[in-house]
Amino acid sequence: MSKMVLELTIEEKKMLKGKQGKATRKAMEIVVALGEIYGAKRLIPVSSVQIAGVSYDNLGEAGLEYLNEMAEDGQTRVLTTLNPAGMDMVEWKKHGISEDFAENQQRVVDAFEKMGVVTTCTCTPYLMGNLPHYGEHIAWAESSAVCFANSVIGAYTNREGGPSALAAALTGVTAEYGFHLDENRVAQVKYDVLADLMSTDEFGLLGQIIGNRTGKQIPYITGIGNATTDELKSFCASVATYGGIAIFHMEKVTPNRTPIPEKTEIVTEEDLNKARAELDDKEANIDFISVGCPHASIKEIAKIVDMLKGKKVTEGKTVWITTAKPTKDLAIKMGYYDQIEKAGAYLVADACCAVAPLKGRFTGLMTDSAKACYYARGKNKFKTEIRTVEECIKEAVS
Amino acid sequence: MQGRKIFKGKVVGEALVTGEDISFYGGCDPETGEIVEKGHHLEGKSIAGKILVFPSGKGSTVGSYVLYALKKAEKAPLAIVNKIMDPVVAVGCIISEIPAVDQIEIERITTGQKIEVDADNGVVTLIV
């Protein structure tokens, strides 16, 4: 019999015995089992949770049933937010979502709300008040946000799945293994970037290149002179999608300290062009333009409003600018929402083009997001083109 | 054979064995329990009511919910025996209360064989 090294506190043992209810017991069983599988010595408190597996399109009826079972007596112990749902929870009808889907999606969100989850559905919780600080231990599931938290902020999280993130929320703890330990966060390969990156789409392409090359090896990236938060979130989404990594180090941009690896690779302008060519399908007939993967910040929305001034979206084309609900509310207050919708585009909250039930509705997607291209192709069978936000908007009104 | 308990329970049943990893999300029909992954060794076979023996899990974290769906549809495997337990399968077994054991030499088990899984003690026994 393998030796159990995981030690539990009295409080944790009580949870495991069901002294704090059924859902807490189930949640603690999950946390403990993962701890034992990965040889954790103890559980550690987490201060923030981000749950994935929210769209009814992915969860299905069984997933919803599980959530309802947990919601019978489960309550979150720490700040917990949600990943995007399959639709804008308010304006779904206008975006062509069916009544059936809407009803089921609402039931999913209701179950989370009953457990005390803050039901803002966004992949950028760090823009919406779920912002850990450097060195803080958290349990997040959205892969792009995991990458952002570990790398850009310097917080500590593993790539959780939906049920394990919920388990951390209901117990307030996670097992100490993987990226919670400094020794597993050391850079393994150096990437010298010999190209000037100017925009979110190019940072997405860099993420695609490094993700594809590095697999699960932790990159140390040099040569990035300057990166905005919006560009970093695009890079995080892409590198996590194509590589499955949870952390990177970017010289002079990110805060973690690590020895610099000897093994070095270079990324050139030509690599970027090749990456772009890979995401550009030849006979893409663009009828869908989506910007906001990860969710657009208020700054990005303001820029789009400028680009749309005096323009009108061409008939036969649909434009989604996806964002978090609090950002949409701010955009309403600033008058951005009215200007976007007047131009014939949609400002869609809570959802995105990767998790909404869009299969069969469009044939060609233009976006500035390399991650959006991946899901559009795999899940929805759309053809794709990746361009700057400016070019996306130009295509929409041409 | 001595392995490690992942989720408790004790059952006797017929083994369904594969040397290939299984992705439950996309790879297994949550309503019928049939393996649907193209080209998989078990493609077209149902895992319902069997003691499912495979090396490890792979694929999306939504796979945990597929095991739960199988349980609700009464199409879940009776127990799961792995070489190395993947967290997605582990979480799936816990939420669906499917007995599970890992660190087992699965090469010694053959399809159709009657076996006992005593997950409480992490033991798998071949019943000739």
Side-chain angles (χ1 to χ4, degrees):
Chain A
M1 183 113 180
S2 61
K3 239 175 51 209
M4 295 296 176
V5 286
L6 182 61
E7 275 192 47
L8 301 182
T9 65
I10 292 166
E11 186 59 26
E12 288 158 2
K13 281 180 187 157
K14 274 187 190 162
M15 289 189 198
L16 195 58
K17 282 189 180 139
K19 298 259 161 70
Q20 310 223 8
K22 218 178 83 193
T24 309
R25 174 178 60 79
K26 192 109 251 183
M28 189 51 99
E29 282 177 0
I30 293 173
V31 171
V32 167
L34 290 174
E36 284 172 351
I37 293 170
Y38 289 105
K41 291 195 176 73
R42 57 176 187 159
L43 307 184
I44 49 169
V46 292
S47 51
S48 153
V49 171
Q50 163 78 1
I51 295 175
V54 178
S55 171
Y56 184 78
D57 208 26
N58 294 336
L59 269 177
E61 202 50 36
L64 175 56
E65 209 174 303
Y66 176 71
L67 294 177
N68 279 330
E69 197 181 313
M70 296 300 272
E72 277 171 22
D73 66 348
Q75 274 298 310
T76 58
R77 288 164 197 263
V78 295
L79 174 64
T80 305
T81 50
L82 288 184
N83 233 24
M87 63 180 199
D88 186 310
M89 297 305 296
V90 180
E91 292 199 291
W92 52 269
K93 204 172 238 172
K94 176 161 126 180
H95 307 136
I97 303 291
S98 75
E99 297 266 355
D100 261 7
F101 185 86
E103 196 181 303
N104 288 325
Q105 185 61 69
Q106 188 62 54
R107 286 161 65 214
V108 172
V109 172
D110 288 348
F112 282 121
E113 205 156 295
K114 198 174 162 204
M115 290 186 264
V117 175
V118 177
T119 50
T120 269
C121 307
T122 181
C123 50
T124 59
Y126 47 87
L127 294 180
M128 293 298 104
N130 191 354
L131 176 64
H133 61 70
Y134 178 83
E136 206 165 343
H137 290 270
I138 60 176
W140 283 13
E142 156 57 28
S143 66
S144 74
V146 163
C147 207
F148 193 94
N150 275 328
S151 318
V152 180
I153 298 169
Y156 289 68
T157 180
N158 282 319
R159 270 164 78 106
E160 302 290 347
S164 67
L166 179 60
L170 299 182
T171 58
V173 292
T174 193
E176 189 182 38
Y177 69 92
F179 296 109
H180 288 288
L181 298 168
D182 282 321
E183 66 254 37
N184 299 325
R185 298 166 63 94
V186 175
Q188 293 161 298
V189 193
K190 183 159 153 259
Y191 290 90
D192 287 335
V193 180
L194 307 176
D196 279 335
L197 305 183
M198 309 298 291
S199 48
T200 49
D201 61 320
E202 292 186 339
F203 274 86
L205 293 172
L206 179 68
Q208 181 197 350
I209 295 164
I210 293 179
N212 276 333
R213 282 199 208 164
T214 211
K216 290 208 164 139
Q217 290 208 304
I218 299 173
Y220 182 93
I221 302 157
T222 69
I224 305 294
N226 195 337
T228 66
T229 300
D230 293 331
E231 287 163 347
L232 288 171
K233 79 176 159 61
S234 176
F235 176 75
C236 287
S238 178
V239 81
T241 297
Y242 290 92
I245 63 158
I247 184 170
F248 63 86
H249 304 272
M250 197 179 273
E251 200 169 80
K252 292 182 182 150
V253 177
T254 62
N256 296 314
R257 287 183 182 197
T258 174
I260 302 171
E262 293 215 349
K263 189 178 163 196
T264 303
E265 298 224 4
I266 55 164
V267 180
T268 61
E269 199 77 50
E270 202 192 325
D271 292 325
L272 283 176
N273 292 337
K274 263 194 235 155
R276 187 184 295 279
E278 271 171 40
L279 292 186
D280 276 355
D281 285 312
K282 285 276 165 344
E283 320 86 42
N285 174 27
I286 303 299
D287 52 1
F288 185 40
I289 292 106
S290 186
V291 174
C293 167
H295 273 167
S297 65
I298 193 70
K299 185 175 158 193
E300 290 177 298
I301 293 172
K303 276 200 235 161
I304 293 168
V305 167
D306 275 342
M307 296 170 204
L308 278 171
K309 257 192 194 122
K311 307 262 171 50
K312 195 92 189 148
V313 171
T314 315
E315 225 181 289
K317 284 179 185 164
T318 301
V319 180
W320 278 25
I321 296 148
T322 51
T323 192
K325 182 63 165 63
T327 309
K328 181 170 175 174
D329 289 340
L330 190 54
I332 291 171
K333 179 177 180 287
M334 296 300 293
Y336 300 158
Y337 171 82
D338 283 343
Q339 294 180 68
I340 288 168
E341 303 263 326
K342 214 177 79 193
Y346 293 124
L347 186 61
V348 178
D350 310 311
C352 74
C353 64
V355 297
L358 294 175
K359 198 171 178 183
R361 282 184 55 188
F362 305 107
T363 61
L365 168 74
M366 184 181 281
T367 177
D368 68 319
S369 163
K371 175 178 181 171
C373 289
Y374 179 87
Y375 284 99
R377 287 172 154 187
K379 203 172 150 239
N380 290 326
K381 312 289 173 214
F382 297 161
K383 302 229 155 136
T384 61
E385 281 181 8
I386 184 166
R387 294 287 182 276
T388 63
V389 175
E390 286 83 355
E391 286 165 325
C392 288
I393 298 302
K394 218 176 257 172
E395 172 71 26
V397 300
S398 68
Chain B
M1 286 182 275
Q2 181 67 61
R4 178 174 67 161
K5 164 190 148 189
I6 300 293
F7 190 81
K8 63 178 188 269
K10 190 171 172 179
V11 293
V12 175
E14 192 188 315
L16 178 64
V17 187
T18 176
E20 291 178 12
D21 291 348
I22 295 178
S23 168
F24 285 93
Y25 182 65
C28 178
D29 187 318
E31 281 165 17
T32 64
E34 194 180 306
I35 297 291
V36 292
E37 184 183 329
K38 284 255 169 308
H40 195 280
H41 170 237
L42 293 182
E43 188 183 351
K45 296 235 167 63
S46 172
I47 63 172
K50 299 278 164 37
I51 294 177
L52 185 59
V53 182
F54 58 105
S56 190
K58 60 175 181 178
S60 164
T61 56
V62 183
S64 307
Y65 288 125
V66 173
L67 279 164
Y68 188 80
L70 288 167
K71 184 75 176 190
K72 291 285 160 181
E74 299 183 346
K75 299 290 180 192
L78 204 53
I80 284 180
V81 176
N82 278 170
K83 197 173 233 175
I84 306 161
M85 182 64 60
D86 159 84
V88 173
V89 178
V91 170
C93 289
I94 297 162
I95 67 179
S96 327
E97 308 193 333
I98 297 170
V101 174
D102 82 338
Q103 297 179 355
I104 295 290
E105 284 176 68
I106 61 166
E107 296 81 0
R108 291 177 51 193
I109 310 171
T110 47
T111 291
Q113 205 168 17
K114 202 171 161 197
I115 63 174
E116 183 192 70
V117 177
D118 175 5
D120 299 345
N121 295 305
V123 174
V124 175
T125 314
L126 311 176
I127 306 170
V128 188

